[in-house]
Structure formats: structure tokens, C-alpha cells
Amino acid sequence: MDLGLRGRVALVTGASRGLGHAIAEALAAEGCDVAISSRTAQALRAAADAIAREHGVRAVPIAGTLGAPGEAERIVQEAAGVLGRVDVLVTNAGGPPAGPFESIPREAWQEAVRTLLESTVDLCRAALPGMKQRRWGRILTVTSISVKQPVRSLMLSNSVRAAVAGFARTLADEAAPFGVTVNNLLPGWTRTERLEELAAASARAQGTTREAVLAGWEREVPMGRLGEPRELAALAAFLASERASYITGTSIAVDGGWIKGLL
């Protein structure tokens, strides 16, 4: 299936590894030029070089810290300056620390809001005007299954990612008349470095092993296994495509059936 993405330009944040990197690769495989951003400049350059070699597209690394004042706007401006515009924006940021409510200081709440919510708002504020002017655009937020079903001990993620989903759903209505779609991606238990970190933290809290924690999570998934980053990335590529031009305002889980709700 030709997704109609060849020649488009995508910006993917948090893309030096994990879900963001897989999404950038999937878009590049469809012919998108990509700008990728993360905090780690060295890993980012290596990721961009690998994408360019593998897929024959332009891949531009832009180091930056989401949540820091002015960084989101600078990242979008630099991507547009080098690649000409931003047609597809994928907002993705690392998850905040795990822990129950009483273990979380006020400063951690503020940091989570800056990194997850405010960075998404600022990225959209910078990228949306150009999309509206061109009458074409795709905005995808990478949130979590916790948007639909809270995950135990992820107080910060459960709270702030839900706010991101609410923002995106509201923005979808405002952007739709201009040919811009806005959708939320809800990854489930997916085999990434972040999941390994959560498993290690849970193991320490429970007095067990990382392997036992991962096995427990697998048992919770009807498909009986963890997801792979490429499986979320395939959905991202489709929602970014011409074929998905009538899909907006949705929150779609890639979770192996973990969420128990009907919708």
C-alpha cells in the first residue's frame, strides 16, 4: 500500500531510541525526510546517520531538551529551516518516574507537566500554523495505555498523559477544517529501554527480579507477550498518511488487548 508520504517532512521528538526512533524509521521507510530530536546529541547523530543510510532520505538530528523554555519552538524552527517545512509532527517524550502519590515531590509534578504537557503544547503551537497555511498536516502524540486505564504506581504518567490526550482531542476539532488531523497513540507494554527501567524499579519495590516483573506483565496481556516498537510505528505511519485523511480525534491503543474497556 502506497501511503502517500514520499516527499513529506516529519519531526519526531524523543527519537534517538525506543518508540520515537521506531516511528522515525517507519516514516523514513515510506519516503519521508525526518528531523529527529532528543537530549543525547551523540546517540541522536548515530540514529540520524543510520536512518539516512538505510532509507535514502534526509535525516536531521536536532539536540534539545523538551520542557526547557523555548526549546520546542527552536526544534520546530530548525527542522523547518533545514528541511523546508514540517508536515508531520510526532510528539514523544520519556516517561516520568514511577511511584505512588505520597512518594512524589511537587517538583516532580512540575517537571512532568513541563516535559509531557507543555512541550506538546509548544511543539503544536510552533508547527500548526504552517500546516494550516498549507491545508495539510498530521499531529500524533505518543501517550500511553494509562490514558484509558491507569497503570498501578504510575501516578505522574497516568495524570499528565491524560491531560495530553485531552489537549490533542480538543485541538483535533480546531485543526480539522484546515486539513490537519490530530490523533493519540497509546502504546502498551512494549519492549523498550523505558520498559526495562520500569521493570527494574518495580522489582526493587517488590523485592523480586526484573525477569519476574516482565513475565507478570506478559501474563496480563491477552496476546501473551510484550509489544515491539515497530508495531506502534506501523500505526503511526498509517495515521500520518494520505490514507488516514478522515481519521482525527482518536486515541488508538497498540497493547495486545490489555485495556479492558469497550472503547
PDB file of all heavy atoms in Angstrom, residues 127-163:
ATOM      1  N   ALA A 127       4.316  24.301  15.154  1.00  0.00           N
ATOM      2  CA  ALA A 127       4.164  23.590  13.882  1.00  0.00           C
ATOM      3  C   ALA A 127       2.820  23.797  13.213  1.00  0.00           C
ATOM      4  O   ALA A 127       2.706  23.745  11.980  1.00  0.00           O
ATOM      5  CB  ALA A 127       4.388  22.087  14.106  1.00  0.00           C
ATOM      6  N   LEU A 128       1.765  24.022  13.993  1.00  0.00           N
ATOM      7  CA  LEU A 128       0.412  24.068  13.433  1.00  0.00           C
ATOM      8  C   LEU A 128       0.178  25.204  12.440  1.00  0.00           C
ATOM      9  O   LEU A 128      -0.479  24.975  11.410  1.00  0.00           O
ATOM     10  CB  LEU A 128      -0.611  24.133  14.566  1.00  0.00           C
ATOM     11  CG  LEU A 128      -2.080  24.121  14.151  1.00  0.00           C
ATOM     12  CD1 LEU A 128      -2.428  22.862  13.368  1.00  0.00           C
ATOM     13  CD2 LEU A 128      -2.987  24.253  15.380  1.00  0.00           C
ATOM     14  N   PRO A 129       0.669  26.426  12.669  1.00  0.00           N
ATOM     15  CA  PRO A 129       0.370  27.491  11.701  1.00  0.00           C
ATOM     16  C   PRO A 129       0.792  27.153  10.274  1.00  0.00           C
ATOM     17  O   PRO A 129       0.047  27.415   9.312  1.00  0.00           O
ATOM     18  CB  PRO A 129       1.145  28.687  12.258  1.00  0.00           C
ATOM     19  CG  PRO A 129       1.188  28.445  13.729  1.00  0.00           C
ATOM     20  CD  PRO A 129       1.372  26.959  13.864  1.00  0.00           C
ATOM     21  N   GLY A 130       1.961  26.559  10.100  1.00  0.00           N
ATOM     22  CA  GLY A 130       2.402  26.182   8.758  1.00  0.00           C
ATOM     23  C   GLY A 130       1.528  25.108   8.143  1.00  0.00           C
ATOM     24  O   GLY A 130       1.223  25.136   6.946  1.00  0.00           O
ATOM     25  N   MET A 131       1.115  24.149   8.953  1.00  0.00           N
ATOM     26  CA  MET A 131       0.227  23.097   8.460  1.00  0.00           C
ATOM     27  C   MET A 131      -1.102  23.691   7.995  1.00  0.00           C
ATOM     28  O   MET A 131      -1.628  23.331   6.932  1.00  0.00           O
ATOM     29  CB  MET A 131      -0.026  22.058   9.561  1.00  0.00           C
ATOM     30  CG  MET A 131       1.182  21.265   9.985  1.00  0.00           C
ATOM     31  SD  MET A 131       0.748  20.104  11.322  1.00  0.00           S
ATOM     32  CE  MET A 131       2.330  19.329  11.637  1.00  0.00           C
ATOM     33  N   LYS A 132      -1.654  24.588   8.796  1.00  0.00           N
ATOM     34  CA  LYS A 132      -2.926  25.222   8.431  1.00  0.00           C
ATOM     35  C   LYS A 132      -2.781  26.030   7.142  1.00  0.00           C
ATOM     36  O   LYS A 132      -3.668  26.001   6.282  1.00  0.00           O
ATOM     37  CB  LYS A 132      -3.407  26.107   9.570  1.00  0.00           C
ATOM     38  CG  LYS A 132      -3.862  25.331  10.793  1.00  0.00           C
ATOM     39  CD  LYS A 132      -4.115  26.242  11.989  1.00  0.00           C
ATOM     40  CE  LYS A 132      -5.295  27.164  11.763  1.00  0.00           C
ATOM     41  NZ  LYS A 132      -5.595  27.962  12.979  1.00  0.00           N
ATOM     42  N   GLN A 133      -1.675  26.719   7.001  1.00  0.00           N
ATOM     43  CA  GLN A 133      -1.456  27.526   5.796  1.00  0.00           C
ATOM     44  C   GLN A 133      -1.385  26.651   4.556  1.00  0.00           C
ATOM     45  O   GLN A 133      -1.913  27.002   3.495  1.00  0.00           O
ATOM     46  CB  GLN A 133      -0.174  28.338   5.953  1.00  0.00           C
ATOM     47  CG  GLN A 133       0.106  29.287   4.802  1.00  0.00           C
ATOM     48  CD  GLN A 133       1.346  30.113   5.039  1.00  0.00           C
ATOM     49  OE1 GLN A 133       2.221  29.751   5.815  1.00  0.00           O
ATOM     50  NE2 GLN A 133       1.440  31.256   4.371  1.00  0.00           N
ATOM     51  N   ARG A 134      -0.756  25.480   4.684  1.00  0.00           N
ATOM     52  CA  ARG A 134      -0.613  24.557   3.549  1.00  0.00           C
ATOM     53  C   ARG A 134      -1.833  23.657   3.378  1.00  0.00           C
ATOM     54  O   ARG A 134      -1.912  22.880   2.437  1.00  0.00           O
ATOM     55  CB  ARG A 134       0.649  23.705   3.740  1.00  0.00           C
ATOM     56  CG  ARG A 134       1.949  24.485   3.644  1.00  0.00           C
ATOM     57  CD  ARG A 134       3.157  23.572   3.706  1.00  0.00           C
ATOM     58  NE  ARG A 134       3.268  22.871   4.985  1.00  0.00           N
ATOM     59  CZ  ARG A 134       3.864  23.358   6.062  1.00  0.00           C
ATOM     60  NH1 ARG A 134       4.411  24.580   6.020  1.00  0.00           N
ATOM     61  NH2 ARG A 134       3.914  22.664   7.185  1.00  0.00           N
ATOM     62  N   ARG A 135      -2.769  23.724   4.348  1.00  0.00           N
ATOM     63  CA  ARG A 135      -4.002  22.929   4.323  1.00  0.00           C
ATOM     64  C   ARG A 135      -3.709  21.430   4.361  1.00  0.00           C
ATOM     65  O   ARG A 135      -4.442  20.620   3.810  1.00  0.00           O
ATOM     66  CB  ARG A 135      -4.861  23.256   3.090  1.00  0.00           C
ATOM     67  CG  ARG A 135      -5.093  24.726   2.825  1.00  0.00           C
ATOM     68  CD  ARG A 135      -6.012  25.357   3.809  1.00  0.00           C
ATOM     69  NE  ARG A 135      -7.373  24.852   3.753  1.00  0.00           N
ATOM     70  CZ  ARG A 135      -8.403  25.396   4.408  1.00  0.00           C
ATOM     71  NH1 ARG A 135      -8.207  26.478   5.165  1.00  0.00           N
ATOM     72  NH2 ARG A 135      -9.610  24.870   4.323  1.00  0.00           N
ATOM     73  N   TRP A 136      -2.649  21.046   5.059  1.00  0.00           N
ATOM     74  CA  TRP A 136      -2.316  19.624   5.203  1.00  0.00           C
ATOM     75  C   TRP A 136      -1.383  19.479   6.394  1.00  0.00           C
ATOM     76  O   TRP A 136      -0.400  20.213   6.532  1.00  0.00           O
ATOM     77  CB  TRP A 136      -1.608  19.087   3.968  1.00  0.00           C
ATOM     78  CG  TRP A 136      -1.637  17.575   3.864  1.00  0.00           C
ATOM     79  CD1 TRP A 136      -2.510  16.846   3.118  1.00  0.00           C
ATOM     80  CD2 TRP A 136      -0.760  16.639   4.510  1.00  0.00           C
ATOM     81  NE1 TRP A 136      -2.250  15.498   3.267  1.00  0.00           N
ATOM     82  CE2 TRP A 136      -1.172  15.343   4.114  1.00  0.00           C
ATOM     83  CE3 TRP A 136       0.312  16.745   5.391  1.00  0.00           C
ATOM     84  CZ2 TRP A 136      -0.559  14.181   4.550  1.00  0.00           C
ATOM     85  CZ3 TRP A 136       0.933  15.590   5.849  1.00  0.00           C
ATOM     86  CH2 TRP A 136       0.511  14.324   5.425  1.00  0.00           C
ATOM     87  N   GLY A 137      -1.671  18.513   7.254  1.00  0.00           N
ATOM     88  CA  GLY A 137      -0.779  18.254   8.371  1.00  0.00           C
ATOM     89  C   GLY A 137      -1.242  17.059   9.186  1.00  0.00           C
ATOM     90  O   GLY A 137      -2.415  16.671   9.142  1.00  0.00           O
ATOM     91  N   ARG A 138      -0.296  16.486   9.896  1.00  0.00           N
ATOM     92  CA  ARG A 138      -0.590  15.363  10.781  1.00  0.00           C
ATOM     93  C   ARG A 138       0.132  15.616  12.110  1.00  0.00           C
ATOM     94  O   ARG A 138       1.344  15.862  12.131  1.00  0.00           O
ATOM     95  CB  ARG A 138      -0.096  14.037  10.189  1.00  0.00           C
ATOM     96  CG  ARG A 138      -0.673  13.698   8.809  1.00  0.00           C
ATOM     97  CD  ARG A 138      -2.114  13.249   8.922  1.00  0.00           C
ATOM     98  NE  ARG A 138      -2.632  12.791   7.646  1.00  0.00           N
ATOM     99  CZ  ARG A 138      -3.327  13.548   6.799  1.00  0.00           C
ATOM    100  NH1 ARG A 138      -3.581  14.822   7.095  1.00  0.00           N
ATOM    101  NH2 ARG A 138      -3.770  13.047   5.666  1.00  0.00           N
ATOM    102  N   ILE A 139      -0.608  15.541  13.201  1.00  0.00           N
ATOM    103  CA  ILE A 139      -0.031  15.628  14.540  1.00  0.00           C
ATOM    104  C   ILE A 139      -0.370  14.349  15.279  1.00  0.00           C
ATOM    105  O   ILE A 139      -1.539  13.958  15.369  1.00  0.00           O
ATOM    106  CB  ILE A 139      -0.574  16.851  15.308  1.00  0.00           C
ATOM    107  CG1 ILE A 139      -0.146  18.154  14.613  1.00  0.00           C
ATOM    108  CG2 ILE A 139      -0.073  16.835  16.755  1.00  0.00           C
ATOM    109  CD1 ILE A 139      -0.774  19.402  15.210  1.00  0.00           C
ATOM    110  N   LEU A 140       0.659  13.682  15.787  1.00  0.00           N
ATOM    111  CA  LEU A 140       0.482  12.452  16.553  1.00  0.00           C
ATOM    112  C   LEU A 140       1.156  12.626  17.905  1.00  0.00           C
ATOM    113  O   LEU A 140       2.315  13.034  17.980  1.00  0.00           O
ATOM    114  CB  LEU A 140       1.127  11.262  15.829  1.00  0.00           C
ATOM    115  CG  LEU A 140       0.664  10.976  14.397  1.00  0.00           C
ATOM    116  CD1 LEU A 140       1.483   9.849  13.793  1.00  0.00           C
ATOM    117  CD2 LEU A 140      -0.818  10.609  14.379  1.00  0.00           C
ATOM    118  N   THR A 141       0.442  12.341  18.974  1.00  0.00           N
ATOM    119  CA  THR A 141       1.050  12.338  20.296  1.00  0.00           C
ATOM    120  C   THR A 141       1.239  10.894  20.742  1.00  0.00           C
ATOM    121  O   THR A 141       0.347  10.068  20.578  1.00  0.00           O
ATOM    122  CB  THR A 141       0.197  13.080  21.340  1.00  0.00           C
ATOM    123  OG1 THR A 141      -0.905  12.265  21.724  1.00  0.00           O
ATOM    124  CG2 THR A 141      -0.296  14.411  20.800  1.00  0.00           C
ATOM    125  N   VAL A 142       2.407  10.604  21.274  1.00  0.00           N
ATOM    126  CA  VAL A 142       2.661   9.291  21.853  1.00  0.00           C
ATOM    127  C   VAL A 142       2.389   9.406  23.347  1.00  0.00           C
ATOM    128  O   VAL A 142       3.118  10.082  24.074  1.00  0.00           O
ATOM    129  CB  VAL A 142       4.098   8.819  21.600  1.00  0.00           C
ATOM    130  CG1 VAL A 142       4.333   7.455  22.241  1.00  0.00           C
ATOM    131  CG2 VAL A 142       4.385   8.757  20.100  1.00  0.00           C
ATOM    132  N   THR A 143       1.304   8.787  23.795  1.00  0.00           N
ATOM    133  CA  THR A 143       0.934   8.873  25.201  1.00  0.00           C
ATOM    134  C   THR A 143       1.112   7.495  25.847  1.00  0.00           C
ATOM    135  O   THR A 143       2.228   7.017  25.975  1.00  0.00           O
ATOM    136  CB  THR A 143      -0.492   9.416  25.365  1.00  0.00           C
ATOM    137  OG1 THR A 143      -1.422   8.571  24.671  1.00  0.00           O
ATOM    138  CG2 THR A 143      -0.587  10.818  24.828  1.00  0.00           C
ATOM    139  N   SER A 144       0.045   6.839  26.265  1.00  0.00           N
ATOM    140  CA  SER A 144       0.169   5.571  26.965  1.00  0.00           C
ATOM    141  C   SER A 144      -1.205   4.936  27.115  1.00  0.00           C
ATOM    142  O   SER A 144      -2.236   5.619  27.093  1.00  0.00           O
ATOM    143  CB  SER A 144       0.775   5.803  28.359  1.00  0.00           C
ATOM    144  OG  SER A 144       0.650   4.654  29.177  1.00  0.00           O
ATOM    145  N   ILE A 145      -1.226   3.622  27.322  1.00  0.00           N
ATOM    146  CA  ILE A 145      -2.470   2.937  27.668  1.00  0.00           C
ATOM    147  C   ILE A 145      -3.086   3.501  28.947  1.00  0.00           C
ATOM    148  O   ILE A 145      -4.290   3.369  29.169  1.00  0.00           O
ATOM    149  CB  ILE A 145      -2.246   1.423  27.839  1.00  0.00           C
ATOM    150  CG1 ILE A 145      -1.027   1.146  28.738  1.00  0.00           C
ATOM    151  CG2 ILE A 145      -2.117   0.745  26.494  1.00  0.00           C
ATOM    152  CD1 ILE A 145      -0.823  -0.316  29.072  1.00  0.00           C
ATOM    153  N   SER A 146      -2.270   4.160  29.754  1.00  0.00           N
ATOM    154  CA  SER A 146      -2.778   4.723  31.012  1.00  0.00           C
ATOM    155  C   SER A 146      -3.799   5.829  30.778  1.00  0.00           C
ATOM    156  O   SER A 146      -4.540   6.201  31.685  1.00  0.00           O
ATOM    157  CB  SER A 146      -1.626   5.260  31.865  1.00  0.00           C
ATOM    158  OG  SER A 146      -0.994   6.360  31.243  1.00  0.00           O
ATOM    159  N   VAL A 147      -3.883   6.356  29.549  1.00  0.00           N
ATOM    160  CA  VAL A 147      -4.906   7.339  29.210  1.00  0.00           C
ATOM    161  C   VAL A 147      -6.300   6.729  29.342  1.00  0.00           C
ATOM    162  O   VAL A 147      -7.257   7.405  29.730  1.00  0.00           O
ATOM    163  CB  VAL A 147      -4.664   7.862  27.776  1.00  0.00           C
ATOM    164  CG1 VAL A 147      -5.873   8.602  27.246  1.00  0.00           C
ATOM    165  CG2 VAL A 147      -3.433   8.772  27.753  1.00  0.00           C
ATOM    166  N   LYS A 148      -6.415   5.449  29.031  1.00  0.00           N
ATOM    167  CA  LYS A 148      -7.721   4.784  29.097  1.00  0.00           C
ATOM    168  C   LYS A 148      -7.878   3.897  30.330  1.00  0.00           C
ATOM    169  O   LYS A 148      -9.004   3.655  30.776  1.00  0.00           O
ATOM    170  CB  LYS A 148      -7.944   3.934  27.841  1.00  0.00           C
ATOM    171  CG  LYS A 148      -8.162   4.762  26.583  1.00  0.00           C
ATOM    172  CD  LYS A 148      -8.701   3.919  25.447  1.00  0.00           C
ATOM    173  CE  LYS A 148      -9.056   4.785  24.251  1.00  0.00           C
ATOM    174  NZ  LYS A 148      -9.659   4.005  23.151  1.00  0.00           N
ATOM    175  N   GLN A 149      -6.779   3.413  30.859  1.00  0.00           N
ATOM    176  CA  GLN A 149      -6.834   2.541  32.037  1.00  0.00           C
ATOM    177  C   GLN A 149      -5.577   2.768  32.861  1.00  0.00           C
ATOM    178  O   GLN A 149      -4.493   2.351  32.455  1.00  0.00           O
ATOM    179  CB  GLN A 149      -6.933   1.066  31.611  1.00  0.00           C
ATOM    180  CG  GLN A 149      -7.074   0.098  32.777  1.00  0.00           C
ATOM    181  CD  GLN A 149      -7.312  -1.319  32.289  1.00  0.00           C
ATOM    182  OE1 GLN A 149      -8.096  -1.558  31.370  1.00  0.00           O
ATOM    183  NE2 GLN A 149      -6.627  -2.279  32.894  1.00  0.00           N
ATOM    184  N   PRO A 150      -5.678   3.452  34.002  1.00  0.00           N
ATOM    185  CA  PRO A 150      -4.489   3.778  34.784  1.00  0.00           C
ATOM    186  C   PRO A 150      -3.656   2.544  35.141  1.00  0.00           C
ATOM    187  O   PRO A 150      -4.196   1.462  35.382  1.00  0.00           O
ATOM    188  CB  PRO A 150      -5.058   4.443  36.034  1.00  0.00           C
ATOM    189  CG  PRO A 150      -6.364   5.006  35.590  1.00  0.00           C
ATOM    190  CD  PRO A 150      -6.905   4.016  34.602  1.00  0.00           C
ATOM    191  N   VAL A 151      -2.351   2.751  35.146  1.00  0.00           N
ATOM    192  CA  VAL A 151      -1.406   1.686  35.483  1.00  0.00           C
ATOM    193  C   VAL A 151      -0.924   1.894  36.919  1.00  0.00           C
ATOM    194  O   VAL A 151      -0.507   2.999  37.284  1.00  0.00           O
ATOM    195  CB  VAL A 151      -0.214   1.691  34.510  1.00  0.00           C
ATOM    196  CG1 VAL A 151       0.786   0.595  34.884  1.00  0.00           C
ATOM    197  CG2 VAL A 151      -0.691   1.512  33.070  1.00  0.00           C
ATOM    198  N   ARG A 152      -0.961   0.867  37.707  1.00  0.00           N
ATOM    199  CA  ARG A 152      -0.563   0.948  39.106  1.00  0.00           C
ATOM    200  C   ARG A 152       0.865   1.505  39.255  1.00  0.00           C
ATOM    201  O   ARG A 152       1.760   1.131  38.517  1.00  0.00           O
ATOM    202  CB  ARG A 152      -0.646  -0.438  39.748  1.00  0.00           C
ATOM    203  CG  ARG A 152      -0.416  -0.473  41.254  1.00  0.00           C
ATOM    204  CD  ARG A 152      -0.721  -1.836  41.824  1.00  0.00           C
ATOM    205  NE  ARG A 152       0.004  -2.905  41.150  1.00  0.00           N
ATOM    206  CZ  ARG A 152      -0.566  -3.779  40.339  1.00  0.00           C
ATOM    207  NH1 ARG A 152      -1.867  -3.703  40.084  1.00  0.00           N
ATOM    208  NH2 ARG A 152       0.143  -4.727  39.769  1.00  0.00           N
ATOM    209  N   SER A 153       1.035   2.428  40.186  1.00  0.00           N
ATOM    210  CA  SER A 153       2.328   3.029  40.544  1.00  0.00           C
ATOM    211  C   SER A 153       2.856   4.022  39.512  1.00  0.00           C
ATOM    212  O   SER A 153       3.982   4.483  39.625  1.00  0.00           O
ATOM    213  CB  SER A 153       3.400   1.954  40.809  1.00  0.00           C
ATOM    214  OG  SER A 153       3.059   1.190  41.953  1.00  0.00           O
ATOM    215  N   LEU A 154       2.058   4.360  38.511  1.00  0.00           N
ATOM    216  CA  LEU A 154       2.474   5.379  37.533  1.00  0.00           C
ATOM    217  C   LEU A 154       1.624   6.640  37.714  1.00  0.00           C
ATOM    218  O   LEU A 154       0.976   7.114  36.781  1.00  0.00           O
ATOM    219  CB  LEU A 154       2.361   4.845  36.107  1.00  0.00           C
ATOM    220  CG  LEU A 154       3.299   3.704  35.718  1.00  0.00           C
ATOM    221  CD1 LEU A 154       3.190   3.409  34.231  1.00  0.00           C
ATOM    222  CD2 LEU A 154       4.741   3.997  36.090  1.00  0.00           C
ATOM    223  N   MET A 155       1.621   7.186  38.915  1.00  0.00           N
ATOM    224  CA  MET A 155       0.791   8.338  39.235  1.00  0.00           C
ATOM    225  C   MET A 155       1.046   9.506  38.292  1.00  0.00           C
ATOM    226  O   MET A 155       0.112  10.111  37.752  1.00  0.00           O
ATOM    227  CB  MET A 155       1.036   8.767  40.681  1.00  0.00           C
ATOM    228  CG  MET A 155       0.373  10.081  41.080  1.00  0.00           C
ATOM    229  SD  MET A 155      -1.428  10.082  40.943  1.00  0.00           S
ATOM    230  CE  MET A 155      -1.857   9.088  42.374  1.00  0.00           C
ATOM    231  N   LEU A 156       2.308   9.854  38.071  1.00  0.00           N
ATOM    232  CA  LEU A 156       2.620  11.005  37.220  1.00  0.00           C
ATOM    233  C   LEU A 156       2.190  10.755  35.774  1.00  0.00           C
ATOM    234  O   LEU A 156       1.555  11.608  35.148  1.00  0.00           O
ATOM    235  CB  LEU A 156       4.114  11.311  37.278  1.00  0.00           C
ATOM    236  CG  LEU A 156       4.641  11.941  38.564  1.00  0.00           C
ATOM    237  CD1 LEU A 156       6.163  12.037  38.516  1.00  0.00           C
ATOM    238  CD2 LEU A 156       4.035  13.314  38.784  1.00  0.00           C
ATOM    239  N   SER A 157       2.560   9.614  35.238  1.00  0.00           N
ATOM    240  CA  SER A 157       2.215   9.307  33.849  1.00  0.00           C
ATOM    241  C   SER A 157       0.709   9.227  33.654  1.00  0.00           C
ATOM    242  O   SER A 157       0.155   9.785  32.698  1.00  0.00           O
ATOM    243  CB  SER A 157       2.877   8.000  33.424  1.00  0.00           C
ATOM    244  OG  SER A 157       2.671   7.747  32.046  1.00  0.00           O
ATOM    245  N   ASN A 158       0.013   8.545  34.570  1.00  0.00           N
ATOM    246  CA  ASN A 158      -1.441   8.438  34.460  1.00  0.00           C
ATOM    247  C   ASN A 158      -2.104   9.809  34.408  1.00  0.00           C
ATOM    248  O   ASN A 158      -3.064  10.036  33.665  1.00  0.00           O
ATOM    249  CB  ASN A 158      -2.003   7.676  35.665  1.00  0.00           C
ATOM    250  CG  ASN A 158      -1.589   6.221  35.701  1.00  0.00           C
ATOM    251  OD1 ASN A 158      -1.125   5.666  34.715  1.00  0.00           O
ATOM    252  ND2 ASN A 158      -1.737   5.605  36.861  1.00  0.00           N
ATOM    253  N   SER A 159      -1.611  10.727  35.210  1.00  0.00           N
ATOM    254  CA  SER A 159      -2.234  12.042  35.332  1.00  0.00           C
ATOM    255  C   SER A 159      -1.914  12.952  34.152  1.00  0.00           C
ATOM    256  O   SER A 159      -2.811  13.529  33.521  1.00  0.00           O
ATOM    257  CB  SER A 159      -1.776  12.712  36.634  1.00  0.00           C
ATOM    258  OG  SER A 159      -2.095  11.924  37.756  1.00  0.00           O
ATOM    259  N   VAL A 160      -0.641  13.085  33.834  1.00  0.00           N
ATOM    260  CA  VAL A 160      -0.233  14.102  32.865  1.00  0.00           C
ATOM    261  C   VAL A 160      -0.467  13.639  31.433  1.00  0.00           C
ATOM    262  O   VAL A 160      -0.843  14.432  30.564  1.00  0.00           O
ATOM    263  CB  VAL A 160       1.229  14.513  33.098  1.00  0.00           C
ATOM    264  CG1 VAL A 160       1.619  15.647  32.144  1.00  0.00           C
ATOM    265  CG2 VAL A 160       1.435  14.962  34.543  1.00  0.00           C
ATOM    266  N   ARG A 161      -0.288  12.354  31.168  1.00  0.00           N
ATOM    267  CA  ARG A 161      -0.557  11.882  29.800  1.00  0.00           C
ATOM    268  C   ARG A 161      -2.041  11.997  29.461  1.00  0.00           C
ATOM    269  O   ARG A 161      -2.404  12.216  28.304  1.00  0.00           O
ATOM    270  CB  ARG A 161      -0.058  10.450  29.626  1.00  0.00           C
ATOM    271  CG  ARG A 161       1.464  10.334  29.634  1.00  0.00           C
ATOM    272  CD  ARG A 161       1.916   8.985  29.111  1.00  0.00           C
ATOM    273  NE  ARG A 161       3.319   8.715  29.315  1.00  0.00           N
ATOM    274  CZ  ARG A 161       4.306   9.163  28.533  1.00  0.00           C
ATOM    275  NH1 ARG A 161       4.025   9.966  27.516  1.00  0.00           N
ATOM    276  NH2 ARG A 161       5.553   8.832  28.775  1.00  0.00           N
ATOM    277  N   ALA A 162      -2.900  11.841  30.451  1.00  0.00           N
ATOM    278  CA  ALA A 162      -4.330  12.054  30.209  1.00  0.00           C
ATOM    279  C   ALA A 162      -4.602  13.496  29.806  1.00  0.00           C
ATOM    280  O   ALA A 162      -5.460  13.770  28.952  1.00  0.00           O
ATOM    281  CB  ALA A 162      -5.132  11.681  31.453  1.00  0.00           C
ATOM    282  N   ALA A 163      -3.863  14.432  30.396  1.00  0.00           N
ATOM    283  CA  ALA A 163      -4.005  15.838  30.010  1.00  0.00           C
ATOM    284  C   ALA A 163      -3.567  16.052  28.564  1.00  0.00           C
ATOM    285  O   ALA A 163      -4.190  16.823  27.821  1.00  0.00           O
ATOM    286  CB  ALA A 163      -3.195  16.725  30.949  1.00  0.00           C
TER     287      ALA A 163
END
